[in-house]
Amino acid sequence: MTTATKPRQPVLKTPLPGPKSADIIARDKQHLSTSYMRPYPFVPDHGEGVWLTDVDGNTMLDFFAGIAVSTTGHAHPHVVQAVQKQIEKFTHVCLTDYPQEITTSLAERLVKHVEKPGEKWRVFFSNSGAEAVEAAVKLARNHTGRQHIISTMGSFHGRTYGAITLTGSKTKYKRGFGPLLPAVSHVPYPNPFRPPLGSTPETCGQAVLEHIESLFVGILPADEVAAIIVEPMQGEGGYIVPPADFLPGLRKLCDKHGILLIFDEVQAGMGRTGKMFSFQHFDVQPDIITSAKGIASGMPLGALLAKESVMTWPVGSHGSTYGGNPVAAAASHATLDLLEGKVKHDGCGESLMHNAAEVGEYIMAELKKMGQDFPFIGDVRGKGLFIGIEFVKPDGSPDGALRDRASMDMFEKGLLNLDCGEAVIRISPPLILTKEEAATGLEMMRRTFEAMK
Ligand SMILES: Cc1ncc(COP(=O)(O)O)c(C=O)c1O
C-alpha cells in the first residue's frame, strides 16, 4: 500500500546567497577569469535527482540541468556506479592511439540511433560541444575540398575560434577576438514566432531556403560551400522549433549542390525532446551530427557522428588526448541505459526519453493555459523537456527586462532556471523530472508571473 506524501519543496534556510556562498562568490570574483558571468548567487554543494543543495543548506528545484546537461539528474546511482567502476579499472590511456572496449561499444551504441538500412556511420569523440563542432567543420572541408560554411543567425556552436565564428547569437562572443575563421556566412533561422524575411509562420522555412538559393545566384558560389550547419531546434537563440518543411527542404538544397548537412544536436539532443536526436521529429537525415552536453550526464564528452561515406579524413589528421575518455564513456553508457529504458528509473515509465516526452507535454499544456492569464507570455514552444517561454511587451516586441526580472524572481523562490534568446526563459530540467516535481516548478512559476502583473 502506498501512502500519499506531500511533494518535496525547495528549502530556503538563508537569504541567497547565504554566508558560506557569499564567501565563495567573493573568492571566485578575486581569482577566476573575468569572463565568467555570475547572474545567480548559488554555490552548489551536492545534488540528488532534480534537487540541488548549496553550501548553506538551501535546496533548489533544478529546471535547467546545467544548461541541458544533467540528463539523469544529480548523482544518479546508476551513473555514479558506472563511473566508480571504470575509475577503479583505468582512467586514461589515449583513444587517439589505443582502442578501448568501453568507447568502441559506445560508438556502436550511438550509431544505432541514426543508421538507416544500407548506411553506416562512424564516431569521433571529443571533450565538449565546441570541439565536436570544430571537428565537423574540419571534416566537412577535408571531405569536400571546399571551404565555405553556412550557419544561422541566433545560433550557438561554442567558444573556440571555428565554433565562435559559426555562432550567430551575440556580438559579445566575437568583439575583440577577430580575425575569426574566414569563409563563413549566416542566414536567418526560421522562427515561426518571429518569421524572418517578411514571411509568415507557415512560410518562414521556405523563405529561408529561397534566401540561401538567392545567395548562390549572386554572392556565394554553391560549389564552394562545404557544409550548412544548423541546430535542428535552436537552443541559445531562444528554444525555437522550425516549421516541419524546413529541415527536409534544407536536405534537398544540400543534395542539389553537393553540400554536407551538419546538425548540431549539442543542446537539443540525447533524448531531451523525447527522441534521441531532435532532428528525428522531422523526415530528414543529416551527413554529420555533433553531440555533447546530455551525452554523459555531466562528465565531459562530445561526439561527432558522420556517415562512413563522409568520414574520409586520413589517419592521424585529427585526434584528442582526452576525447573519448573511458570514465566519461562509462557515464555515457549509463546515461544511454536510462534514456533507452534498458535500466528503469522509478516513476519515469519505460525510459527517460519517454518521460521527457510525457512530462514535457504536460508542462507545455500547463504553461499554455497559464499564458491566457498573463498577456506578457507571448509564446510557449518546444518539444519534450526543451521548452521556451517568450516574454513580450504589449506591442508584441520582446521584453528582455521583464524576462530578467521573472528569471530572478523564480530563482529567489527556489527554482533554478536560465534565460536564452532576447526574452526567453528556457526550461531544460533533468529528464527524470516527474509530473509531481513539474507541478511544483509550475506553481513557483505561476507565483512569479502573478508578481510580474
Ligand atoms: C547547440 C550548441 N552547440 C555547441 C555548444 C558548445 O558546447 P560546449 O560548451 O560543450 O563547448 C553549445 C553550448 O551551449 C550548444 O548549445
Side-chain angles (χ1 to χ4, degrees):
M1 202 176 80
T2 53
T3 45
T5 49
K6 215 170 155 261
R8 190 173 172 181
Q9 297 291 323
V11 179
L12 298 180
K13 293 186 173 165
T14 70
L16 297 169
K20 289 183 186 160
S21 301
D23 175 58
I24 294 166
I25 290 167
R27 283 162 49 209
D28 174 279
K29 216 171 179 174
Q30 285 287 316
H31 301 292
L32 273 84
S33 167
T34 50
S35 61
Y36 288 125
M37 301 178 293
R38 296 287 185 253
Y40 308 95
F42 182 82
V43 181
D45 178 73
H46 62 275
E48 186 198 357
V50 296
W51 300 92
L52 266 177
T53 302
D54 78 0
V55 290
D56 293 290
N58 297 303
T59 298
M60 315 269 280
L61 177 56
D62 184 359
F63 258 33
F64 95 115
I67 322 187
V69 169
S70 312
T71 321
T72 55
H74 301 285
H76 195 290
H78 185 60
V79 178
V80 170
Q81 199 187 30
V83 165
Q84 280 173 344
K85 206 170 133 202
Q86 179 55 41
I87 226 163
E88 281 166 12
K89 288 167 102 184
F90 72 98
T91 308
H92 173 80
V93 171
C94 187
L95 184 65
T96 301
D97 300 305
Y98 292 87
Q100 49 201 32
E101 199 285 331
I102 197 158
T103 333
T104 307
S105 51
L106 182 60
E108 287 166 348
R109 212 167 164 181
L110 285 170
V111 297
K112 278 207 182 97
H113 287 280
V114 292
E115 279 178 349
K116 297 226 159 141
E119 193 186 83
K120 197 174 165 318
W121 284 62
R122 288 177 177 271
V123 184
F124 170 83
F125 285 107
S126 65
N127 305 284
S128 66
E131 279 178 65
V133 168
E134 292 293 329
V137 170
K138 285 179 71 177
L139 178 62
R141 283 183 161 183
N142 190 271
H143 177 72
T144 59
R146 304 173 177 187
Q147 288 194 2
H148 210 97
I149 310 286
I150 295 176
S151 182
T152 58
M153 294 175 189
S155 63
F156 188 83
H157 296 290
R159 310 278 191 157
T160 51
Y161 264 104
I164 206 65
T165 312
L166 301 172
T167 289
S169 53
K170 292 189 183 109
T171 49
K172 72 174 175 188
Y173 299 145
K174 303 188 184 196
R175 183 170 295 114
F177 291 118
L180 303 178
L181 199 70
V184 171
S185 307
H186 290 83
V187 298
Y189 192 86
N191 176 356
F193 187 62
R194 300 198 180 280
L197 303 163
S199 63
T200 65
E202 294 74 33
T203 62
C204 61
Q206 283 307 315
V208 171
L209 297 174
E210 281 163 25
H211 174 74
I212 299 172
E213 286 287 6
S214 76
L215 296 181
F216 294 161
V217 174
I219 297 171
L220 176 62
D223 58 6
E224 292 185 7
V225 178
I228 298 179
I229 181 165
V230 65
E231 291 160 90
M233 295 189 191
Q234 202 173 64
E236 168 85 11
Y239 273 40
I240 302 164
V241 180
D245 61 351
F246 175 62
L247 296 173
L250 203 55
R251 174 74 274 173
K252 274 197 201 125
L253 182 147
C254 285
D255 288 344
K256 180 172 153 198
H257 298 289
I259 296 169
L260 295 177
L261 183 55
I262 305 171
F263 284 166
D264 184 343
E265 288 276 356
V266 168
Q267 188 150 171
M270 301 315 293
R272 175 152 298 282
T273 65
K275 295 202 186 267
M276 188 55 80
F277 293 107
S278 65
F279 76 83
Q280 291 166 334
H281 290 277
F282 307 98
D283 182 19
V284 64
Q285 182 80 332
D287 300 299
I288 298 174
I289 297 165
T290 55
S291 179
K293 287 196 189 280
I295 197 172
S297 291
M299 290 297 285
L301 186 72
L304 165 90
L305 286 72
K307 284 180 182 160
E308 183 173 61
S309 55
V310 169
M311 199 175 266
T312 52
W313 48 16
V315 173
S317 60
H318 195 58
S320 165
T321 298
Y322 293 120
N325 171 279
V327 183
S332 187
H333 270 293
T335 303
L336 282 167
D337 286 344
L338 287 148
L339 281 177
E340 293 165 351
K342 194 171 152 194
V343 170
K344 305 275 186 261
H345 180 87
D346 249 9
C348 287
E350 65 188 57
S351 71
L352 291 195
M353 209 145 59
H354 193 253
N355 188 62
E358 221 174 84
V359 178
E361 209 171 293
Y362 164 69
I363 295 179
M364 286 259 288
E366 291 298 311
L367 282 173
K368 281 190 173 161
K369 268 192 255 161
M370 258 190 238
Q372 291 164 7
D373 299 338
F374 304 102
F376 51 78
I377 297 180
D379 196 26
V380 174
R381 57 192 179 232
K383 272 268 182 253
L385 289 171
F386 180 94
I387 300 170
I389 309 167
E390 180 152 346
F391 290 72
V392 296
K393 294 180 183 160
D395 67 1
S397 61
D399 195 343
L402 185 64
R403 181 273 315 274
D404 290 350
R405 278 209 292 128
S407 171
M408 192 47 76
D409 192 81
M410 285 176 197
F411 171 77
E412 283 164 359
K413 287 183 166 48
L415 187 67
L416 291 170
N417 70 94
L418 192 66
D419 63 349
C420 65
E422 216 181 318
V424 179
I425 289 181
R426 64 184 116 188
I427 300 181
S428 58
L431 309 189
I432 55 165
L433 189 80
T434 61
K435 263 193 193 162
E436 291 69 31
E437 290 160 340
T440 300
L442 283 163
E443 180 46 33
M444 290 157 86
M445 292 169 99
R446 172 177 278 286
R447 285 195 279 126
T448 287
F449 298 151
E450 293 283 359
M452 300 295 118
K453 256 184 172 172

